[in-house]
Amino acid sequence: MDRYLLLQVVPPFSISLGVVMAALLLERLLALFNMLASNGSSMKTFLALLTDLVPHYLGLALPAAMCVSVFSVIRRMSQNHEIDALMASGVSMFRIARPFIIVGTILGALSFSLYGFIQPYARYDYRSALYFASHSGWAPHLQSHMFAAPSRDLMLTAEKVDDAGSRLFTVFIRDNSSHEVTRYITARKGYLYIPNSDEKIRLDLIDGTIITDRHDKSPSIIHFDHTTELFSPHGQLDKMQANRSRGQTERELTLPELYHDIRHGMPGIKHSYLVAELHFRLARTIAIPFIPFLACALAIMAKRQKRSIGLPIAAVTLVGFDHTLQMGLSLVANAHMSPLVVIWLPTLVFAVGCVGTLVWRCGGLRVLLMAPHPSSQRVLSPDGLPTRTQDSHP
């Protein structure tokens, strides 16, 4: 039975996760694409930013996808009277919901890693990549037949550019950085990138010529097989190097780092912000295993009922709970309120409400946990007529 239920929940979970992720990413993708296109950034930069966005929206999509998938499976089983058949054979509603609760617990453990470790790094990588893409302009990506001026005294262009703008063919450079001479450089091929350990953009040129014009003397010509040019873009590299390191905001700290900074302090971040962020992440993680309770409870429908408002109620409940936690986060961070009141109390109410709703919809705790009592079962005689139950009194 567990295998059957899990196989039933996988397709709607996959579809729901894809739809929710697409809906959440669509607006951000359009804004990113417009910004990167205006700055001349490559598709490689766009895909990198998209990858960094996935963990953030995955944390929002997982609870919604799990709720929708469990609701759809239980709703279909209820319409097809599979729930009635299982309960009539002695299987309790809690036993039916058990594989979904186990899946919710597993997703809660995955969400702990997602909220506590993956999202802080992904958020920092996204902001760094976006900062670089919005401030670097052309560097380190060029376009074919485009004249780029990395500085006031430097101009370069290439006939053909590929590999996301880092590999150049038929390169021409004019360098006036030394006011006494002017250098003209041509090369058959070039590789442009910014080394992580260097403060300058590096351009490796292959098979070219350097013409040095000293103005008052005859120009000199040098042929080379390989040479390297280093230059700093005027007004651009300083801004890129000014980008901060990870951990200067509480949302970029992992859970161990938050706990450490709460105990020992963190310069530049208020103590209340650290406390609020830690409790907020833990509360969101702990609430996930209780979502299957709510979905199972709201999916059970009355007989001869064609329409149900269970899914809208579940959606409003999840969205309301998430906004309540966000409000609690703000109150703890800015108003210095206790997280036990504004974060953990709503979490406790949500958890008890999910379990209590399933108990109420199933007719009480005894019906939820136990099989139907033998006294409630009808026994048929060999001729098909109902007789006395096995333990009923004459």
Side-chain angles (χ1 to χ4, degrees):
M1 185 181 68
D2 290 343
R3 184 188 306 173
Y4 169 76
L5 293 174
L6 292 177
L7 290 176
Q8 293 297 311
V9 81
V10 168
F13 177 80
S14 303
I15 296 174
S16 301
L17 185 62
V19 170
V20 175
M21 286 291 294
L24 293 174
L25 285 171
L26 184 59
E27 182 179 0
R28 183 62 64 88
L29 291 182
L30 294 176
L32 277 178
F33 192 79
N34 186 31
M35 186 272 292
L36 295 178
S38 62
N39 289 332
S41 299
S42 65
M43 185 59 66
K44 183 179 179 180
T45 305
F46 176 77
L47 294 178
L49 290 172
L50 175 61
T51 303
D52 293 331
L53 279 176
V54 169
H56 171 70
Y57 288 110
L58 189 61
L60 300 175
L62 277 178
M66 181 175 60
C67 180
V68 172
S69 59
V70 173
F71 181 91
S72 63
V73 170
I74 296 297
R75 174 70 181 275
R76 181 185 56 79
M77 293 178 65
S78 179
Q79 289 178 330
N80 296 338
H81 305 289
E82 295 179 63
I83 300 292
D84 298 334
L86 289 173
M87 296 189 69
S89 62
V91 180
S92 66
M93 189 61 204
F94 181 81
R95 178 63 183 83
I96 298 174
R98 189 177 71 177
F100 304 134
I101 298 172
I102 295 176
V103 171
T105 304
I106 295 174
L107 290 180
L110 295 177
S111 298
F112 178 82
S113 301
L114 185 65
Y115 297 145
F117 300 92
I118 299 177
Q119 283 189 355
Y121 283 96
R123 180 173 287 108
Y124 172 75
D125 291 341
Y126 171 78
R127 292 180 177 178
S128 298
L130 186 63
Y131 186 91
F132 176 80
S134 60
H135 287 79
S136 62
W138 64 273
H141 304 296
L142 287 171
Q143 298 178 7
S144 300
H145 303 285
M146 185 184 79
F147 290 88
S151 64
R152 297 175 181 176
D153 301 319
L154 186 68
M155 184 277 297
L156 68 90
T157 185
E159 291 290 332
K160 181 181 178 182
V161 179
D162 64 359
D163 284 355
S166 60
R167 190 166 66 170
L168 318 176
F169 297 91
T170 313
V171 184
F172 173 79
I173 301 175
R174 186 187 65 187
D175 184 5
N176 289 326
S177 56
S178 178
H179 298 289
E180 297 179 357
V181 298
T182 301
R183 293 195 308 161
Y184 300 94
I185 306 173
T186 61
R188 181 177 59 87
K189 186 186 297 185
Y191 297 92
L192 179 69
Y193 62 94
I194 299 180
N196 294 329
S197 59
D198 203 340
E199 295 183 354
K200 296 183 178 181
I201 293 178
R202 175 178 172 178
L203 178 60
D204 290 338
L205 299 174
I206 298 174
D207 190 12
T209 303
I210 301 178
I211 301 176
T212 303
D213 185 6
R214 293 181 173 84
H215 305 300
D216 57 345
K217 297 181 180 180
S218 300
S220 61
I221 301 176
I222 300 176
H223 301 280
F224 62 86
D225 295 329
H226 179 273
T227 187
T228 299
E229 296 289 330
L230 299 176
F231 51 88
S232 299
H234 176 73
Q236 300 284 348
L237 190 59
D238 294 339
K239 295 180 181 179
M240 288 186 285
Q241 295 295 331
N243 191 20
R244 56 181 176 77
S245 59
R246 187 186 68 86
Q248 296 188 14
T249 64
E250 69 279 0
R251 300 188 69 185
E252 296 175 357
L253 296 174
T254 63
L255 288 178
E257 291 171 344
L258 282 172
Y259 180 74
H260 177 271
D261 292 340
I262 288 174
R263 296 188 59 184
H264 299 90
M266 175 65 180
I269 304 179
K270 295 182 179 179
H271 183 267
S272 60
Y273 282 70
L274 298 172
V275 173
E277 186 67 22
L278 177 64
H279 288 275
F280 174 74
R281 295 190 198 176
L282 293 177
R284 290 183 68 180
T285 302
I286 292 175
I288 289 179
F290 294 96
I291 295 178
F293 287 94
L294 179 66
C296 291
L298 297 179
I300 300 174
M301 56 187 301
K303 305 306 175 186
R304 298 181 298 275
Q305 183 180 358
K306 297 182 179 180
R307 296 183 180 180
S308 174
I309 60 173
L311 189 58
I313 294 177
V316 171
T317 302
L318 292 180
V319 173
F321 174 68
D322 185 70
H323 281 71
T324 302
L325 287 184
Q326 293 183 12
M327 183 179 66
L329 171 70
S330 178
L331 291 176
V332 174
N334 300 304
H336 303 283
M337 296 186 65
S338 173
L340 297 177
V341 177
V342 295
I343 292 181
W344 290 108
L345 181 59
T347 304
L348 179 62
V349 172
F350 175 78
V352 173
C354 292
V355 178
T357 303
L358 182 59
V359 173
W360 172 69
R361 291 299 300 268
C362 294
L365 187 61
R366 176 177 172 276
V367 178
L368 176 68
L369 298 177
M370 301 174 59
H373 194 271
S375 61
S376 63
Q377 300 178 4
R378 301 178 66 186
V379 180
L380 301 181
S381 63
D383 57 0
L385 298 176
T387 62
R388 293 179 303 175
T389 57
Q390 296 175 353
D391 60 344
S392 60
H393 298 285

